Amino acid sequence: MMGRMHIRIDAVDLPGLVCPAPVGGRVPEYRNVHVAVQRRDRPGELLAPQPGDARSASWTLECTTSVSPDGIEVQGPYVQDRLGHRFVYLSWGTVDDAGTFTMFRRAKVMLDAVPADVLDAARDGLLVGRLGLTDAQGGPLCARVRPPDIAWTAERAGQGDTPR
């Protein structure tokens, strides 16, 4: 039996519009930094890019759920599925004067790390992940994001929870 669920990612503590080059590092400084949710298998298709100096950022994703022997499976246009792991990419990139987004790093918001009871409670409603987007070095958060770096809750879906 299929269910309909929304996932809302609420982010705070964005790192700013400039990502400085690390001392002695091999990567350049990045300017006009933005973050967005990447569509599955389409790295150039981004949902609601937000500037890196925003007070907060929020994205709502429409998904479907189904029950499998391994638990609840989540699928949707923004849910990645690699090697049996489901996750949402938050892509960090620069935006040039023409509005072109060029990705330089990503964070994987791991859906397989959502506690089973929370995912079950959100199955036909709203799954909310709250996280900060600045890493320990003051730059854009990247790599795999799991609790305690993200807090997951199940909430009732309501108006304003449509995909954006």
Side-chain angles (χ1 to χ4, degrees), residues 53-113:
D53 65 347
R55 288 180 46 134
S56 63
S58 186
W59 300 272
T60 301
L61 317 173
E62 193 170 302
C63 303
T64 59
T65 60
S66 59
V67 178
S68 77
D70 297 324
I72 296 174
E73 300 284 335
V74 180
Q75 296 179 322
Y78 295 94
V79 176
Q80 310 288 328
D81 184 6
R82 303 280 186 275
L83 302 174
H85 295 282
R86 299 250 164 97
F87 57 91
V88 174
Y89 269 135
L90 293 180
S91 294
W92 292 97
T94 58
V95 176
D96 65 17
D97 291 339
T100 302
F101 182 98
T102 303
M103 184 187 64
F104 64 88
R105 81 175 44 147
R106 295 188 286 205
K108 285 182 177 180
V109 177
M110 304 303 295
L111 298 177
D112 61 355

Side-chain angles (χ1 to χ4, degrees), residues 4-77:
R4 297 187 63 75
M5 178 178 75
H6 287 94
I7 298 173
R8 191 177 74 221
I9 299 171
D10 290 337
V12 296
D13 190 29
L14 281 78
L17 288 174
V18 177
C19 178
V23 176
R26 298 182 186 138
V27 296
E29 175 179 271
Y30 297 103
R31 295 190 160 277
N32 201 18
V33 172
H34 283 63
V35 61
V37 174
Q38 176 188 310
R39 190 174 176 94
R40 182 184 64 245
D41 298 326
R42 297 181 190 167
E45 239 181 270
L46 302 167
L47 178 65
Q50 301 293 311
D53 65 347
R55 288 180 46 134
S56 63
S58 186
W59 300 272
T60 301
L61 317 173
E62 193 170 302
C63 303
T64 59
T65 60
S66 59
V67 178
S68 77
D70 297 324
I72 296 174
E73 300 284 335
V74 180
Q75 296 179 322

